[in-house]
Amino acid sequence: MSRRQAREAALQALFQLDLNHGEEGQQEQYETLAIDTALGEAEKMPARDREYVSTLVRGTRENLAAIDSLIAASSKDWKVERMAVVDRNITRLAAYEIGFSEEKITPNIAINEAVELAKKYGTDNSSRYVNGILGAMMNNLR
């Protein structure tokens, strides 16, 4: 599994969890179920690939309040909860990789990957929207 495929699986899990996050005390079970669903046949997945997807999903969710604050500060007139679910989760995933992941990647790579995900899963305007928010976020972080 490539890193792009792992990000796609993480996005699918985050999307699912955003719409159905589970009841109090069941978040871990819901995360595991969402990751398994996104990965398909999880038992055939190499452990390192599954772990990378899990790290992306859990890391994004563990830092959700801080990530949403960064997005809100960078999206001006749009509230995070009013964003399209796909765009919101693509942006959250990229923000996690840029600012919170233990494995640091170049921000331009995270932004490019987010734009590609937005082209594939979002609307015609999603890629520009996600790119704009992440670009503004990078300016705010400098």
Side-chain angles (χ1 to χ4, degrees), residues 53-72:
V53 173
S54 294
T55 298
L56 292 175
V57 172
R58 290 197 169 101
T60 300
R61 290 183 45 92
E62 287 169 2
N63 295 286
L64 205 54
I67 289 169
D68 283 354
S69 289
L70 286 173
I71 294 170

Side-chain angles (χ1 to χ4, degrees), residues 4-117:
R4 179 167 288 173
Q5 290 170 315
R7 286 183 185 95
E8 284 185 37
L11 171 61
Q12 291 167 3
L14 289 168
F15 181 92
Q16 180 179 342
L17 290 164
D18 199 6
L19 297 177
N20 186 13
H21 44 78
E23 304 206 13
E24 193 71 32
Q26 294 182 321
Q27 282 81 13
E28 191 172 325
Q29 291 170 306
Y30 274 75
E31 282 180 3
T32 300
L33 180 61
I35 291 166
D36 287 347
T37 301
L39 289 173
E41 298 180 24
E43 65 276 356
K44 294 183 181 179
M45 185 68 49
R48 70 180 171 83
D49 293 339
R50 180 175 172 65
E51 183 59 33
Y52 184 64
V53 173
S54 294
T55 298
L56 292 175
V57 172
R58 290 197 169 101
T60 300
R61 290 183 45 92
E62 287 169 2
N63 295 286
L64 205 54
I67 289 169
D68 283 354
S69 289
L70 286 173
I71 294 170
S74 303
S75 62
K76 296 184 183 180
D77 298 331
W78 281 93
K79 295 185 181 206
V80 174
E81 56 275 356
R82 292 203 54 211
M83 292 171 69
V85 179
V86 170
D87 296 349
R88 177 172 55 231
N89 285 290
I90 291 170
T91 307
R92 284 173 169 169
L93 180 59
Y96 167 73
E97 286 194 292
I98 291 168
F100 300 90
S101 176
E102 288 181 21
E103 179 185 345
K104 296 298 179 195
I105 64 168
T106 307
N108 290 344
I109 293 172
I111 293 170
N112 183 59
E113 290 293 323
V115 167
E116 292 302 316
L117 285 171

